[in-house]
Amino acid sequence: MNRRTTHTTTAALAATAALLLTACGSGDGDSDGDKGSKSGDSGKAAADSSTPPAKKKQTKSAAQLALTKNEVPAHAVVEPSDDFVFAKSRDNIKLSKPVCAPLGHAMSQFPVGDTQDSFVRVAEKKEFDGAFTYITLATYAPGEAQSTMADMTKAVSACAGGFTAKGDNASNVYDSVTSETTGTAPTPGAEESLAFRATTKCQGDTHTVRTQATRHGDTIAIYFAMDGSAFTQSRSGNGKIFPAVVKSQEKKLG
């Protein structure tokens, strides 16, 4: 995964918000049940027989499919900063509930499941408002993307009561996970999609973050949104995925 530091307003504030989110954790996350929560091991759920099969094998890498700096109208897309990342690797994330591993990974800008390769970008509006949408792309061996989507769907239901994800330095405590529709963010051509929101508290303020995942053949795109300015301004936040970012990325995947 390419996660080099980029010195831009987006990367700097996104890193600051990530640091504050991490700092809100207790640092003592319950990891007693984290056996089997390593990279690619989230208690694989068999893909539903009604799940549409992959239409074609994806020949492009995640890096080739990623959005570039000026591909989204009125938005800037850059590489996220490595400063203050929640965890240096996916293996370092410990989950209080192993079944929640796909959600913990997705909300920490890591790919889900057994991938062939992955790539991460972060987007902001050019009329900057402190909000961010991260895009994590991953490619899979035939059949693995479908199994991964099944794992994520299972996790959204199983983790409704919340869970704790413990990183290298602190913990993120998610109080709830709720399934959402994806109607506000168009997903043309996707064979499967899911969306959910999660809530967490920081210094008494409630923050809602949102995640959406789509599958195109053997490629999965994960979109994660947070209101970065809410963390830096000590107020409640309501992250919303940028529809223009999803539309542009999905077009490249389609």
Side-chain angles (χ1 to χ4, degrees):
M1 187 189 315
N2 191 327
R3 294 171 71 89
R4 294 175 298 175
T5 301
T6 301
H7 298 287
T8 66
T9 300
T10 303
L13 184 52
T16 301
L19 172 64
L20 292 174
L21 176 58
T22 300
C24 289
S26 66
D28 299 312
D30 176 8
S31 58
D32 290 342
D34 81 331
K35 292 182 179 180
S37 64
K38 289 186 177 181
S39 158
D41 185 4
S42 53
K44 282 190 177 297
D48 192 302
S49 59
S50 64
T51 299
K55 292 180 180 178
K56 59 183 179 180
K57 186 179 294 184
Q58 182 57 257
T59 58
K60 291 184 178 180
S61 69
Q64 290 173 314
L65 292 166
L67 292 171
T68 57
K69 186 174 181 180
N70 296 309
E71 279 190 291
V72 185
H75 294 70
V77 180
V78 300
E79 295 180 47
S81 172
D82 274 338
D83 297 334
F84 315 121
V85 292
F86 178 63
K88 293 180 180 178
S89 75
R90 199 170 54 175
D91 287 346
N92 290 10
I93 300 176
K94 308 301 180 184
L95 287 304
S96 60
K97 300 176 183 178
V99 70
C100 302
L103 310 189
H105 295 161
M107 292 191 287
S108 301
Q109 293 77 64
F110 285 104
V112 177
D114 294 322
T115 66
Q116 292 187 326
D117 72 338
S118 60
F119 208 73
V120 181
R121 282 289 185 261
V122 58
E124 70 167 3
K125 292 180 181 178
K126 290 184 177 178
E127 292 187 7
F128 188 63
D129 61 0
F132 303 98
T133 293
Y134 287 86
I135 311 104
T136 302
L137 296 178
T139 60
Y140 297 79
E144 285 296 324
Q146 292 166 269
S147 178
T148 297
M149 290 293 288
D151 285 346
M152 293 184 72
T153 299
K154 176 182 176 182
V156 170
S157 176
C159 304
F163 67 97
T164 297
K166 185 177 181 181
D168 291 316
N169 301 306
S171 302
N172 285 341
V173 180
Y174 297 103
D175 301 312
S176 66
V177 174
T178 306
S179 177
E180 293 192 313
T181 65
T182 60
T184 56
T187 55
E191 292 160 69
E192 292 184 82
S193 62
L194 63 87
F196 64 92
R197 67 179 183 270
T199 59
T200 185
K201 287 185 172 62
C202 183
Q203 298 178 350
D205 298 314
T206 297
H207 296 269
T208 298
V209 296
R210 283 184 166 81
T211 306
Q212 180 176 335
T214 64
R215 180 177 70 82
H216 292 256
D218 296 321
T219 299
I220 291 177
I222 297 174
Y223 307 93
F224 172 78
M226 64 184 298
D227 182 352
S229 62
F231 287 96
T232 59
Q233 296 170 7
S234 298
R235 59 174 173 79
S236 294
N238 186 23
K240 296 181 179 180
I241 297 169
F242 298 144
V245 170
V246 177
K247 184 176 182 179
S248 295
Q249 182 63 78
E250 294 292 301
K251 184 177 181 180
K252 294 191 74 170
L253 296 175

